[in-house]
Amino acid sequence: MPLPHVLLSAAVSLDGYLDDTGPERLLLSSPADFDRVDGVRASVDAILVGGGTVRADNPRLLVNSAERRAARVADGRAEYPLKVTVSGSGELDPAARFWHTGGDKVLLTTDDGARRARALGIGADVVSLGADLDWRAALEYLHDRRGVRRLMVEGGGTVHTQLLQQGLADELQLVLAPLFVGDPAAPRLFGPGAYQGGRLRLVETRRIEDVVLMRYLPTAPGAGDRVAAADRHWLALACELAELCPPSDTAFSVGAVVVAADGSELARGHSREGGDPVVHAEEAALAKVDPEDPRLPGATVYSSLEPCARRASRPAPCARLILDAGVRRVVTAWREPDTFVAGADGSGVLTAAGAAVVVLAEYAQRAKAPNRHLEG
């Protein structure tokens, strides 16, 4: 199921704390960074915090700039993003500012929490996700039922930790403040537990007065048919590579990336790369990887189009090349149509050999874009 783009936003001290233990909220960001955060809020469809943050900080979570709010309205959007909180217990103060400022609000909770929240008179759409909280179900609800395409998560540390550990965070925007807290009782940004492996990719650093903004993207693929946020990043790259293909009236334009389980890119390729008029994207990428590379059996191949099951130009189709390389996971955007090969079923060849095939159909239009001239 498609999910929103999940952006985690936080500010921490140099020693990794979100706050101290004093009665007042510790201000970690600078005035200019608060304005940057306001701009990010204005750009998203919804802002989410955990119930603990509502209790501890009593936030309003508004877009403060009148100009930004007016721009949202002019763009056909609500003046304020949807405000979302998640609480398994539903035990929240109905007088909290969260419920009485801004636009629409949603409380995502459990069956028991929903009964409790409604009895308290919480001023929001109270939505039960079942007997237990499930982050994937929460994100699917926001995407499918509330039209949320970009979700900004502003805390707290438990929420950030869970979304990262479950591979559901697409982006981390972390602000580092030039001070120390040093109190072991103070809340930290990330808690212990099993995180997805691999190094995050640093895509931006920016000095904002006396703080530093760092933007990271996850890199480690999911496992089997379980989709991680990094799968979407890599498939988007494969779609971008398809745009580099020399145009053809007799073959698709496809991009492919081979990624190790730890998020290391092993190779990339695209159709007709290097002047070869018949080379396929997966073929071009795999040719750049040492066939003895021990990372191949745990790797994922991302291809903008389903790997081919039959071809006339070379003895081995791409589905066979992938299996022969030892790869057992493929993520694609678009099943191959019958344009050149009737009944093409590369996915069937792969799954019959024990490989997992994941289709992220929300990227299909991007994959089809460089092939529009072949339609009809």
Side-chain angles (χ1 to χ4, degrees):
M1 295 288 289
L3 300 177
H5 179 99
V6 177
L7 183 163
L8 307 186
S9 176
V12 295
S13 64
L14 289 174
D15 50 348
Y17 288 94
L18 285 168
D19 200 357
D20 57 20
T21 54
E24 302 295 328
R25 176 73 176 173
L26 177 65
L27 297 181
L28 293 164
S29 294
S30 66
D33 188 58
F34 282 125
D35 184 67
R36 178 195 65 82
V37 170
D38 195 63
V40 177
R41 287 179 178 178
S43 73
V44 300
D45 302 306
I47 304 168
L48 182 148
V49 293
T53 298
V54 174
R55 297 184 193 98
D57 298 342
N58 195 21
R60 297 183 305 156
L61 294 183
L62 302 178
V63 175
N64 294 309
S65 165
E67 291 79 9
R68 290 178 179 133
R69 296 198 305 271
R72 286 178 58 88
V73 172
D75 196 35
R77 297 183 292 167
E79 182 179 9
Y80 293 98
L82 176 71
K83 296 200 299 185
V84 184
T85 190
V86 179
S87 169
S89 70
E91 292 180 347
L92 296 166
D93 183 359
R97 294 187 298 181
F98 184 90
W99 317 114
H100 300 284
T101 55
D104 292 342
K105 298 101 183 168
V106 173
L107 167 60
L108 299 179
T109 183
T110 61
D111 294 339
D112 289 341
R115 286 190 287 271
R116 193 171 292 115
R118 290 179 181 125
L120 288 169
I122 295 295
D125 292 335
V126 178
V127 177
S128 172
L129 298 173
D132 301 296
L133 286 178
D134 182 300
W135 275 112
R136 191 171 290 272
L139 296 177
E140 288 176 356
Y141 168 82
L142 292 174
H143 182 280
D144 296 344
R145 301 291 296 277
R146 306 304 296 239
V148 175
R149 298 299 179 262
R150 288 184 60 83
L151 174 68
M152 182 181 187
V153 180
E154 294 201 39
T158 299
V159 172
H160 282 134
T161 296
Q162 291 174 350
L163 288 169
L164 274 174
Q165 288 179 343
Q166 294 180 34
L168 296 172
D170 293 274
E171 179 179 353
L172 171 61
Q173 294 190 4
L174 183 63
V175 165
L176 193 61
L179 53 84
F180 294 93
V181 172
D183 186 343
R188 287 186 174 274
L189 175 55
F190 298 122
Y195 288 85
Q196 201 173 14
R199 299 171 69 91
L200 277 69
R201 181 184 300 114
L202 179 65
V203 294
E204 180 186 2
T205 58
R206 191 194 323 167
R207 177 178 176 178
I208 306 172
E209 293 178 338
D210 66 343
V211 304
V212 176
L213 167 68
M214 296 169 286
R215 289 182 55 237
Y216 292 95
L217 302 181
T219 62
D225 60 2
R226 187 152 183 89
V227 177
D231 289 324
R232 296 190 285 274
H233 294 305
W234 289 116
L235 187 57
L237 174 59
C239 292
E240 291 175 13
L241 293 171
E243 300 281 355
L244 302 178
C245 300
S248 172
D249 292 328
T250 58
F252 292 109
S253 293
V254 183
V257 191
V258 185
V259 181
D262 67 356
S264 302
E265 180 182 329
L266 301 183
R268 61 176 69 183
H270 60 80
S271 306
R272 300 176 292 284
E273 183 178 331
D276 185 336
V278 297
V279 72
H280 287 194
E282 303 93 328
E283 178 186 16
L286 287 169
K288 300 169 187 172
V289 184
D290 183 345
E292 301 302 318
D293 193 318
R295 296 172 293 179
L296 276 171
T300 296
V301 168
Y302 297 88
S303 180
S304 60
L305 177 66
E306 173 187 41
C308 63
R310 298 192 302 277
R311 62 189 295 191
S313 58
R314 295 274 164 84
C318 291
R320 187 73 258 161
L321 293 174
I322 289 169
L323 293 171
D324 289 347
V327 176
R328 290 299 180 267
R329 186 170 188 265
V330 174
V331 178
T332 186
W334 181 29
R335 296 293 301 271
E336 183 178 355
D338 292 343
T339 308
F340 301 115
V341 178
D345 187 18
S347 296
V349 173
L350 291 164
T351 56
V357 178
V358 177
V359 180
L360 299 183
E362 61 266 37
Y363 289 87
Q365 293 307 312
R366 294 179 65 175
K368 293 177 181 179
N371 297 286
R372 293 296 186 202
H373 62 290
L374 299 175
E375 293 182 352

